[in-house]
Amino acid sequence: METNQHLRQRGEQKIGEILGQTAADIEKSLGDLAPSLATYVLETIYGQIYQSPTLDSRTRQIVTVASLATLGTADHNCGPISVAL
């Protein structure tokens, strides 16, 4: 997967703010299993989606947890969810 350095840098900053993790942490946890997923998480989820000014980070996290809870899948498929409120 081709990387976009600008989106990657934005994603690295945002994931640090929200989860306190580095790009290396993400690549280490996902890299062996799915290296393209690590790139997607950094560039698309944190580099684009989480950059949207529509919702602040706290509200976005609450909506995510509420959505997973209403689907009934939060406990079964996601494992522990880290929410910094």
Side-chain angles (χ1 to χ4, degrees):
M1 174 180 258
E2 187 176 326
T3 64
N4 181 317
Q5 199 58 32
H6 174 68
L7 292 177
R8 183 180 177 83
Q9 288 173 344
R10 288 176 55 174
E12 288 175 2
Q13 178 195 11
K14 186 58 82 172
I15 204 163
E17 289 174 18
I18 294 174
L19 298 177
Q21 294 182 327
T22 65
D25 295 334
I26 299 302
E27 290 168 341
K28 181 179 178 186
S29 66
L30 298 173
D32 290 339
L33 181 63
S36 294
L37 181 58
T39 300
Y40 178 79
V41 166
L42 288 169
E43 293 180 10
T44 304
I45 296 175
Y46 288 96
Q48 290 179 320
I49 296 171
Y50 267 60
Q51 301 292 332
S52 170
T54 305
L55 297 175
D56 60 75
S57 294
R58 181 178 185 266
T59 304
R60 188 180 312 274
Q61 291 174 8
I62 291 169
V63 169
T64 301
V65 170
S67 297
L68 291 171
T70 60
L71 291 172
T73 59
D75 188 357
H76 303 290
N77 298 328
C78 298
I81 298 174
S82 173
V83 179
L85 300 176

